[in-house]
Amino acid sequence: MAVTTSAPPKRRRRSLGDLKVAMIFLAPATVGFVVFYIWPTLRGAYLSFTEYSLLQAPEFNGLQNYERMIHDSFFWNALVVTVEYVVINIGLQTVLAVLIAMLMYRLTKSITVRAVILLPYLIANVVVALVWYWMLDFQVGIVNQGLTLIGIDPVAFFGDSHWAIPTVAGINIWRHMGYTALLVFAGLQTIPSYVYEAAEVDGSSEMQTFWRITLPLLRPVLVMVLVVTMIGSFQIFDTIAVTTQGGPINATRVIYYYIYERAFTRFDFGYASAMALVLFAILAVVSLLQLRLLRAKESDLA
Amino acid sequence: MRKSLTPGRTVAWVVLIVLMLLTLFPFYWMLRTALSDNTQLAGHPSSLLPVETTLGAFKRVLGLSTVEEAQAQGGSGAAVNFWLYLRNSLIVSTVTTVSQVFFSAMAAYAFARLRWPGRDKVFALFLAALMVPPIFTTLPNFVLIKNLGLLNSFAGIILPGAFMTPFAIFFLRQFFLGINRELEEAAMIDGAGHRKIFFGIIIPISAAPIATLAILTYINSWNDYFWPLLVGQQENVRVLTVALGVFRSQTPQGGPDWAGLMAATLIAALPMIVLFLAFAKRITNSIGFSGIK
């Protein structure tokens, strides 16, 4: 293996030599990649065209799963509920994250402050869900105690079908806003200071600077953040599984949870795979649209 | 000028502090509840301090109290094998982290430091796998693990994550790319092979990013719920997150054992909190890097 790179003819031999070494170094990762990524992707696509109960071999049934989906009101409900969740989650989370990032950027570079706001992100979804389930309890939860104290009627956060999705979204915003804020914070640090100095010389007010300079220059980062949080929020599962389990009356049966139920409690594996494929397609299309429409790759920094 | 405490800056500080308190309060509430006596808890829902401070909930959860004691304190009396779940979580997270980071580092070396035809195309293919939503591969992976007879085994829980993740390879490749070529060329002249360069130069030089990745992988693996829920339901391989879900569904609906539940969540979260406190700087600094690009 010990070949120098000095002479051009040897270079050619070296690249072939590297191929052998590369194959050895890549072998374990490739096994994992093929067995647990590539093969299941292909198999998942195939299973979506079958009827499969896990007990007998999958039976090809053409487009039946997809036809069924069109007439399945639970599927459409799941999509609507998921979109509702995604919109609330992304909207509030992005605003809060930008706010926190701006505050940190202008006030302090302290690692402690950054660590505090990141902390919830490192705690398991299940733990987060249980703590909030307790804090939002209708009768003895501290949040409703607080509301009563200031004269507001207690809210059945998980039991009221209008409140359930905003509640689940709120819990996940609490967990993720610090992480998102740090992404935005990293983006803020890439904006050169001379831009701000120029704005200051021109007498731009704080608000003008934010809307006309900071936000536009932050766009590439914001687009990435939006795409990442969107892909993440379409896959909300843990919080639902621990708290509402799809209820009350389907109000929180998001698409991920519905797929899980179909596959693992009703053993309707073919249908579940078809829905997973549709989810895959939706995510791909929405991500591409976001990247295109928001011109992710261009920066306004000339 | 920016450092003086103007009214605007004061308001900004207040907002930031309120947001930080909002972030920390649930952690305090976990502790406050866990230290309370469950039978007294409902009577003093808004007490900011623990109600009738006791370690009973922790004892109950860790199996240090008898069934009668547990029931008297408002627990379900069902046996909670917390030590077992703790051990299971440790096994799963440790094995997953060590093997995933190691194999990903090997792959990242091949993508960053070796020259071979088709390298960039293969790398692009690995990266493309990041696009596939987990649920889509999870269903067939479950079938595979089931067909292999690995349901309810550590192998079944660990295998899918044991070899690589596209993110881990991407993360390490970025660092390996930045290493000066002269170092390994000098080693080659001295007769070192790729194995020696990988272990003797690349890994020691990249100790910091490898450690960061390992910590992040450990936390993710520890917190994972969906996959262990599917393949590791049985007691002997049940990890903490799954156990918490079970614990929650077992508590009586009328008067749930909130103190016990919070003690359990706190114990489950504690290792990650400690890990985070120890490496807060490293983790927070890596977020900007890992998210963008």
Side-chain angles (χ1 to χ4, degrees):
Chain A
M1 281 326 133
V3 186
T4 59
T5 49
S6 49
K10 283 190 176 173
R11 213 174 222 175
R12 176 151 248 147
R13 234 174 63 211
R14 187 189 130 100
S15 82
L16 284 175
D18 274 3
L19 181 62
K20 262 189 205 162
V21 184
M23 280 163 75
I24 296 167
F25 272 86
L26 269 177
T30 307
V31 169
F33 185 62
V34 171
V35 175
F36 295 108
Y37 283 87
I38 299 272
W39 168 241
T41 301
L42 299 174
R43 188 160 166 81
Y46 168 71
L47 286 177
S48 78
F49 298 104
T50 66
E51 161 134 27
Y52 185 28
S53 64
L54 280 176
L55 301 169
Q56 285 143 346
E59 208 174 294
F60 191 78
N61 70 354
L63 290 171
Q64 273 182 38
N65 289 329
Y66 294 92
E67 278 168 34
R68 200 175 137 196
M69 219 181 293
I70 295 173
H71 303 291
D72 180 358
S73 62
F74 288 109
F75 168 72
W76 292 105
N77 174 67
L79 275 187
V80 170
V81 171
T82 309
V83 169
E84 191 191 335
Y85 168 81
V86 171
V87 169
I88 298 176
N89 190 49
I90 293 190
L92 263 175
Q93 193 187 136
T94 313
V95 172
L96 274 169
V98 171
L99 174 71
I100 296 172
M102 282 302 291
L103 288 172
M104 287 194 303
Y105 184 67
R106 298 298 301 272
L107 296 175
T108 173
K109 298 258 180 299
S110 156
I111 285 281
T112 313
V113 172
R114 277 188 265 169
V116 165
I117 59 143
L118 185 66
L119 187 57
Y121 180 73
L122 301 154
I123 305 302
N125 277 317
V126 177
V127 169
V128 170
L130 283 172
V131 173
W132 281 99
Y133 194 66
W134 159 228
M135 296 196 3
L136 295 173
D137 185 81
F138 182 64
Q139 281 163 345
V140 287
I142 184 65
V143 175
N144 272 322
Q145 292 297 317
L147 289 181
T148 315
L149 203 69
I150 54 171
I152 299 173
D153 284 339
V155 179
F157 287 100
F158 294 103
D160 183 326
S161 54
H162 297 292
W163 276 104
I165 277 289
T167 301
V168 174
I171 294 172
N172 279 280
I173 291 167
W174 177 80
R175 182 171 184 260
H176 289 274
M177 68 182 182
Y179 177 78
T180 313
L182 283 186
L183 295 181
V184 178
F185 183 76
L188 284 173
Q189 289 181 315
T190 63
I191 300 176
S193 57
Y194 67 78
V195 186
Y196 289 116
E197 282 152 21
E200 206 169 324
V201 170
D202 290 347
S204 162
S205 77
E206 192 96 6
M207 275 295 149
Q208 280 175 327
T209 310
F210 176 74
W211 287 108
R212 302 230 177 114
I213 296 175
T214 311
L215 219 48
L217 290 182
L218 212 49
R219 207 196 53 230
V221 174
L222 282 179
V223 174
M224 286 325 288
V225 165
L226 282 175
V227 172
V228 170
T229 44
M230 192 214 55
I231 293 176
S233 22
F234 261 100
Q235 306 181 25
I236 167 88
F237 174 83
D238 300 1
T239 318
I240 304 273
V242 173
T243 58
T244 62
Q245 289 163 342
I249 332 167
N250 311 321
T252 59
R253 186 176 281 108
V254 291
I255 187 72
Y256 220 83
Y257 196 77
Y258 188 46
I259 294 173
Y260 160 79
E261 272 188 338
R262 278 284 162 195
F264 296 101
T265 62
R266 311 227 196 152
F267 305 107
D268 209 346
F269 232 74
Y271 188 48
S273 300
M275 288 195 288
L277 188 67
V278 168
L279 176 63
F280 186 4
I282 293 174
L283 286 178
V285 169
V286 180
S287 313
L288 277 177
L289 275 182
Q290 278 179 309
L291 291 173
R292 274 279 161 79
L293 292 178
L294 299 167
R295 298 174 296 138
K297 286 197 170 149
E298 299 160 41
S299 168
D300 290 341
L301 207 59
Chain B
M1 190 185 123
R2 277 180 63 180
K3 287 287 164 195
S4 63
L5 208 64
T6 61
R9 283 178 69 81
T10 313
V11 172
W13 265 114
V14 170
V15 174
L16 186 60
I17 288 169
V18 167
L19 283 165
M20 284 168 70
L21 288 179
L22 208 66
T23 303
L24 288 177
F25 184 76
F27 291 98
Y28 172 70
W29 209 242
M30 241 193 275
L31 183 67
R32 171 265 185 198
T33 309
L35 290 173
S36 296
D37 181 315
N38 197 57
T39 51
Q40 303 296 315
L41 204 52
H44 307 83
S46 51
S47 159
L48 287 179
L49 291 173
V51 184
E52 304 270 325
T53 311
T54 166
L55 288 174
F58 286 100
K59 284 191 186 150
R60 204 149 69 234
V61 168
L62 294 173
L64 300 174
S65 56
T66 64
V67 174
E68 292 77 38
E69 273 173 354
Q71 276 170 342
Q73 293 165 345
S76 68
V80 190
N81 259 325
F82 228 87
W83 295 110
L84 178 69
Y85 309 140
L86 194 69
R87 184 206 71 169
N88 292 346
S89 273
L90 277 171
I91 293 175
V92 168
S93 302
T94 308
V95 176
T96 303
T97 302
V98 170
S99 68
Q100 187 191 105
V101 171
F102 180 67
F103 291 143
S104 296
M106 283 172 65
Y109 179 75
F111 285 126
R113 310 303 296 183
L114 301 172
R115 292 199 179 132
W116 43 284
R119 181 184 70 175
D120 295 341
K121 281 187 185 125
V122 176
F123 181 64
L125 186 66
F126 270 63
L127 268 194
L130 277 173
M131 287 294 296
V132 185
I135 185 96
F136 189 60
T137 46
T138 296
L139 299 178
N141 273 339
F142 176 83
V143 177
L144 178 68
I145 293 297
K146 183 174 174 283
N147 289 345
L148 291 172
L150 294 175
L151 284 188
N152 292 307
S153 74
F154 283 122
I157 303 176
I158 292 168
L159 268 179
F163 297 98
M164 55 85 75
T165 65
F167 172 75
I169 294 178
F170 168 77
F171 184 91
L172 290 179
R173 177 179 168 270
Q174 289 298 99
F175 285 98
F176 291 177
L177 280 176
I179 295 170
N180 199 331
R181 250 198 191 277
E182 282 161 20
L183 269 174
E184 68 196 300
E185 275 167 9
M188 279 185 173
I189 291 167
D190 289 344
H194 282 285
R195 200 171 57 118
K196 224 170 176 182
I197 292 172
F198 179 65
F199 286 106
I201 298 177
I202 304 288
I203 288 199
I205 279 187
S206 316
I210 288 175
T212 306
L213 178 68
I215 296 162
L216 292 174
T217 309
Y218 204 89
I219 292 173
N220 275 334
S221 173
W222 187 274
N223 290 342
D224 195 17
Y225 178 65
F226 193 53
W227 181 251
L229 174 76
L230 299 180
V231 301
Q233 278 285 4
Q234 267 170 25
E235 188 91 6
N236 60 327
V237 293
R238 190 183 290 162
V239 297
L240 270 172
T241 46
V242 178
L244 283 176
V246 174
F247 191 32
R248 133 101 172 92
S249 58
Q250 276 175 353
T251 59
Q253 282 299 317
D257 179 10
W258 289 117
L261 208 51
M262 288 303 107
T265 52
L266 201 60
I267 297 170
L270 205 58
M272 294 308 102
I273 296 176
V274 170
L275 196 67
F276 179 56
L277 290 180
F279 298 104
K281 192 171 179 184
R282 179 162 279 171
I283 296 174
T284 40
N285 282 338
S286 74
I287 299 299
F289 170 82
S290 61
I292 303 161
K293 260 223 151 171

